[in-house]
Amino acid sequence: MKLRVLGCSGAIAKDCRTTSFLLDADVLVDAGTGVGDLSLDEMRLIDHVFLTHSHLDHIAALPLMVDAIASQRTKPICVHALAGTIAALKAHVFNNVIWPDFSRIPSETAPFVRFHEIEVGTPVQVCGKTIEPLPAVHTVPACGYAVSSGGPHWVFTGDTERNPAFWQRMQHLDVAMLVIETAFSNREQELARRSLHLSPVALADELGHMDHTRKVPVYITHTKPSETVLIMAEIDQFDRNVSSGQAGAHDIRWLEAGQEFEI
């Protein structure tokens, strides 16, 4: 399975695109502003979109992408999301006020978009991939994802704060790569806690739940552009402290838009 990072920033700025990942050519996980770097031909190949939650930085490009390509497709785009996320999209985006309701256009029997409700813990099979929604702890209904095309999993936490249920499930997955958010620096750790995001001090606690004998690479995502340098420095600091005792050493890396991986 090929993974392409379209966007991995917690907000916009020059060269900062919000969360979106392209799996092979046909599955999108989240639809942040990074989708705008795809060509029309590339967007036309996307059959399925899996959303972690309804916040704007994760869905901003979805209505625009549908508008750009729907009339050139022969079948609807299937948007997979939790019930609460679908309800929010219908009420606040595809509501004929903010944007046309593409689940009823051009007709209810042949729409441009179909919504498919998912549940945490219930895998979905699409395009030769198994996609399992994972628990997340956020201010709105939210999930992460574990994705496999028959081998080890790519795992994405989505937006989350401390999340014991996530780590319980991780213990039973063959993981090739973990993408985990760290939205705020330690100086904003109280804001991170209130908004149910991670800061480096909380990230350190979370990574303590990993089985370090498995040496899974951990990629940091969703940093706020104004705090990215500080967040990176704070994570480097705690990781150096942990790595001084080999039993708890991490393999922490930085996610960047434009990166491509083979899972």
Side-chain angles (χ1 to χ4, degrees):
M1 180 174 68
K2 184 176 180 180
L3 167 69
R4 180 175 168 189
V5 182
L6 302 179
C8 56
S9 176
I12 61 167
K14 181 177 172 56
D15 298 325
C16 295
R17 294 155 178 81
T18 65
T19 304
S20 187
F21 302 96
L22 185 63
L23 302 179
D24 294 326
D26 44 18
V27 174
L28 200 62
V29 174
D30 278 341
T33 62
V35 174
D37 285 341
L38 294 175
S39 69
L40 284 173
D41 287 340
E42 289 172 321
M43 285 190 281
R44 272 194 292 267
L45 295 177
I46 296 170
D47 290 327
H48 298 270
V49 179
F50 285 79
L51 299 176
T52 58
H53 64 295
S54 59
H55 282 163
L56 188 61
D57 54 326
H58 295 256
I59 62 99
L62 178 62
L64 296 170
M65 181 185 78
V66 174
D67 191 42
I69 62 172
S71 64
Q72 301 169 38
R73 289 175 49 86
T74 58
K75 57 183 179 180
I77 298 168
C78 188
V79 176
H80 305 258
L82 299 173
T85 303
I86 292 173
L89 288 172
K90 289 181 175 181
H92 303 297
V93 180
F94 296 102
N95 60 3
N96 293 318
V97 178
I98 299 300
W99 208 248
D101 182 359
F102 284 129
S103 68
R104 297 173 179 270
I105 296 174
S107 70
E108 292 191 27
T109 57
F112 288 148
V113 169
R114 290 193 190 278
F115 292 107
H116 176 249
E117 184 179 324
I118 59 175
E119 295 182 353
V120 169
T122 302
V124 178
Q125 305 278 342
V126 298
C127 303
K129 290 174 270 291
T130 300
I131 303 178
E132 179 183 341
L134 300 176
V137 178
H138 202 37
T139 57
V140 294
C143 64
Y145 288 107
V147 185
S148 172
S149 59
H153 293 77
W154 172 69
V155 176
F156 174 40
T157 63
D159 285 10
T160 190
E161 218 260 347
R162 290 174 175 83
N163 189 359
F166 172 86
W167 296 106
Q168 290 171 10
R169 180 63 184 126
M170 273 278 288
Q171 293 174 5
H172 302 284
L173 294 173
D174 182 8
V175 181
M177 175 180 178
L178 170 63
V179 176
I180 187 168
E181 72 118 285
T182 310
F184 294 97
S185 68
N186 285 336
R187 69 184 179 189
E188 299 285 4
Q189 62 182 279
E190 178 58 22
L191 176 58
R193 187 192 64 80
R194 291 172 58 189
S195 60
L196 296 181
H197 283 287
L198 295 177
S199 60
V201 67
L203 174 69
D205 291 342
E206 289 298 274
L207 294 184
H209 296 288
M210 291 186 69
D211 178 356
H212 297 289
T213 64
R214 298 165 70 183
K215 300 301 181 185
V216 173
V218 177
Y219 285 83
I220 306 300
T221 189
H222 206 279
T223 60
K224 299 296 183 183
S226 62
E227 293 210 312
T228 295
V229 173
L230 179 57
I231 292 168
M232 291 172 67
E234 290 174 342
I235 291 175
D236 281 340
Q237 181 61 50
F238 90 66
D239 197 45
R240 281 197 299 271
N241 293 339
V242 169
S243 296
S244 63
Q246 289 303 310
H250 303 109
D251 179 6
I252 296 180
R253 311 179 189 185
W254 306 102
L255 207 63
E256 297 179 7
Q259 287 178 312
E260 296 185 0
F261 303 88
E262 291 286 341
I263 308 296

